[in-house]
């Protein structure tokens, strides 16, 4: 047993699981309508390697047998087994992505144990306010007010999807934001994509977050085909990071995880989370984590699963993060590069302690 195996986890970014039967093959890729076999990947192998035993199957059971067993047990039993096995004490659930009927933060915790908390997506806040705003000035004021009262453990932005991460260091002037708000109101119920209004919103969330003690999470790096990967490199946030006071969490990061590690190295208020990356890289997770720890301060690295829809993803996040931390600390102990106390401190910090401190749990 390694030092990471007994650490209670803080999953500081994930989504709900489906509350009904779904086809896992549709959720094992970021591609839409993927034609390639989803189990012929490191993520697919990881499901067979680590999830199959939790469902009472042999390690690396064939994909067809895994799918049959999953259907036999049903979504509820599968979710309970996998979420409970993850060993998570706190779940931070982004409620802004709802691809179908999924669990709420409390519903996720009811299935897996622990406590659920809500991560509030700031673009969703703005889009909800837009439906009732009657003037551009009122829209901005109501967004600010809504951010102040949102029941959040953290804020999150998907500006990487809507425009890109190259945000200005200063918030757009009020007059400029009002003009952008007027244009958006005329568009009725459209998604928020205006770069001026997005920049105003992200800066506003950073200001409110600093006042309320709430970190601001950013999607960075790879995701589905809706984004342009070149616009999601976290180094594009440099001018913004130099200007803001709130704590910032860079989510996912791949393949820019070394860039994210650099930002955490030079800015004390920046933190790195490889959530979406770890289940996808599977058995290579220790190598990717090692590349982040080359330069990122140990206290700046946070665990999450980014599990969504499939409880397999929540469980794999936990299992593979624990495995990666054990692999690295065992190797460094063998090389006498750290003490046992150092290894324990690193494991407890990355897997839960850093997030608990950052979010004032």
């Amino acid at each position: 047993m390694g030092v990471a195996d007994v650490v209670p986890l803080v999953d500081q970014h994930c989504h709900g699981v489906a509350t009904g039967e779904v086809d896992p093959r549709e959720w094992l890729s970021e591609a839409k309508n993927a034609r390639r076999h989803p189990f012929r990947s490191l993520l697919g192998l990881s499901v067979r390697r680590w999830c199959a035993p939790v469902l009472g199957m042999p390690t690396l059971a064939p994909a067809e047998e895994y799918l049959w067993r999953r259907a036999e047990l049903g979504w509820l039993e599968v979710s309970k087994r996998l979420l409970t096995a993850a060993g998570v004490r706190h779940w931070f659930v982004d409620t802004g992505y709802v691809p179908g009927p999924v669990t709420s933060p409390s519903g996720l915790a009811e299935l897996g144990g622990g406590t659920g908390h809500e991560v509030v997506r700031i673009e969703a806040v703005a889009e909800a306010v837009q439906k009732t705003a009657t003037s551009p000035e009122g829209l901005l004021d109501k967004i600010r007010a809504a951010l102040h009262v949102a029941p959040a453990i953290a804020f999150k932005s998907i500006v990487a999807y809507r425009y890109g991460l190259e945000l200005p260091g200063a918030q757009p002037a009020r007059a400029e934001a009002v003009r952008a708000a007027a244009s958006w109101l005329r568009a009725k119920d459209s998604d928020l994509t205006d770069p001026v209004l997005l920049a105003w919103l992200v800066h506003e969330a950073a200001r409110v977050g600093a006042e309320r003690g709430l970190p601001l999470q950013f999607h960075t790096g790879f995701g589905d085909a809706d984004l342009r990967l070149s616009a999601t490199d976290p180094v594009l946030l440099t001018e913004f990071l130099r200007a803001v006071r709130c704590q910032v969490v860079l989510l996912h990061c791949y393949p820019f995880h070394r860039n994210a590690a650099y930002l955490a190295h030079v800015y004390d208020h920046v933190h790195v989370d490889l959530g979406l990356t770890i289940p996808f890289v599977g058995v290579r997770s220790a190598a990717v984590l090692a590349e982040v720890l080359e330069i990122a301060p140990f206290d700046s690295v946070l665990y999450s699963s980014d599990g969504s829809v499939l409880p397999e993803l929540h469980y794999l996040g936990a299992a593979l993060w624990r495995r990666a931390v054990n692999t690295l600390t065992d190797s460094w102990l063998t090389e006498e590069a750290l003490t046992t106390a150092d290894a324990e401190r690193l494991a407890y910090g990355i897997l839960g302690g850093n997030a608990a401190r950052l979010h004032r749990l």
Side-chain angles (χ1 to χ4, degrees), residues 21 55-57 65-75 77-78:
E21 302 300 339
L55 302 188
M57 304 187 69
E65 293 181 17
Y66 180 86
L67 294 171
W68 178 88
R69 175 61 171 166
R70 195 184 195 281
E72 178 188 42
L73 290 172
W75 76 269
E77 180 64 19
V78 168

Side-chain angles (χ1 to χ4, degrees), residues 74-149:
W75 76 269
L76 183 59
E77 180 64 19
V78 168
S79 295
K80 286 180 177 179
R81 290 193 187 192
L82 290 167
L83 295 175
T84 301
V88 173
R89 180 172 292 176
H90 294 277
W91 308 88
F92 294 3
V93 183
D94 173 5
T95 56
Y97 175 62
V98 185
V102 296
T103 53
S104 64
S106 60
L108 188 67
E110 184 177 347
L111 292 173
T115 304
H117 310 265
E118 184 173 4
V119 175
V120 170
R121 192 176 288 197
I122 62 173
E123 290 82 7
V125 170
E127 287 160 3
V129 169
Q130 191 231 28
K131 296 180 187 302
T132 59
T134 57
S135 70
E137 295 84 356
L139 174 62
L140 299 183
D141 293 340
K142 286 184 176 181
I143 290 173
R144 178 182 295 114
L147 291 173
H148 273 286
V149 300

Side-chain angles (χ1 to χ4, degrees), residues 41-267:
S41 64
L42 285 181
L43 175 56
L45 286 175
S46 295
V47 170
R48 294 170 53 210
R49 165 63 179 86
W50 282 282
C51 297
V54 181
L55 302 188
M57 304 187 69
T59 297
L60 290 173
E64 293 74 16
E65 293 181 17
Y66 180 86
L67 294 171
W68 178 88
R69 175 61 171 166
R70 195 184 195 281
E72 178 188 42
L73 290 172
W75 76 269
L76 183 59
E77 180 64 19
V78 168
S79 295
K80 286 180 177 179
R81 290 193 187 192
L82 290 167
L83 295 175
T84 301
V88 173
R89 180 172 292 176
H90 294 277
W91 308 88
F92 294 3
V93 183
D94 173 5
T95 56
Y97 175 62
V98 185
V102 296
T103 53
S104 64
S106 60
L108 188 67
E110 184 177 347
L111 292 173
T115 304
H117 310 265
E118 184 173 4
V119 175
V120 170
R121 192 176 288 197
I122 62 173
E123 290 82 7
V125 170
E127 287 160 3
V129 169
Q130 191 231 28
K131 296 180 187 302
T132 59
T134 57
S135 70
E137 295 84 356
L139 174 62
L140 299 183
D141 293 340
K142 286 184 176 181
I143 290 173
R144 178 182 295 114
L147 291 173
H148 273 286
V149 300
I153 190 79
F155 290 141
K156 179 191 175 181
S157 174
I158 55 167
V159 67
Y161 276 89
R162 299 297 180 80
Y163 172 70
L165 293 177
E166 195 165 6
L167 295 169
Q171 187 177 36
R174 173 82 176 187
E176 191 178 5
V178 166
R179 286 194 294 273
S183 177
W184 189 36
L185 281 176
R186 288 193 295 271
K188 303 294 184 184
D189 295 332
S190 63
D191 291 341
L192 175 54
T193 58
D194 183 274
V196 171
L197 200 51
L198 281 168
W200 179 89
L201 173 64
V202 175
H203 273 277
E204 197 63 33
R207 179 180 294 110
V208 174
E211 294 173 2
R212 295 183 60 187
L214 301 180
L216 175 57
Q217 303 177 352
F218 284 91
H219 179 106
T220 73
F222 85 118
D224 63 38
D226 290 344
L227 56 71
R228 290 181 298 111
L229 188 61
S230 61
T232 68
D233 187 334
V235 296
L236 296 172
L237 287 168
T238 299
E239 295 304 317
F240 173 82
L241 295 174
R242 286 173 175 166
V244 301
R245 296 183 296 111
C246 75
Q247 300 295 313
V248 172
V249 180
L250 305 174
L251 301 171
H252 317 320
C253 303
Y254 188 87
F256 309 115
H257 48 288
R258 277 176 159 152
N259 292 0
Y262 159 76
L263 293 171
H265 181 89
V266 296
Y267 297 113

Side-chain angles (χ1 to χ4, degrees), residues 285-357:
S285 55
V288 175
L289 179 58
E291 290 175 345
V292 167
L293 294 177
E294 288 170 351
I295 194 168
F298 296 163
D299 291 346
S300 70
V301 181
L302 309 175
Y303 158 74
S304 85
S305 68
D306 195 45
S308 177
V309 180
L310 296 181
E312 282 90 343
L313 300 175
H314 298 74
Y315 174 70
L316 282 177
L320 290 170
W321 271 90
R322 291 187 196 275
R323 180 182 181 276
V325 171
N326 281 336
T327 297
L328 294 180
T329 53
D330 287 350
S331 172
W332 295 345
L333 285 166
T334 299
E335 296 176 13
E336 298 183 349
L338 78 178
T339 67
T340 300
D342 293 327
E344 292 173 349
R345 187 180 305 111
L346 184 150
Y348 274 87
I350 290 177
L351 296 175
N354 296 342
R357 182 183 64 256

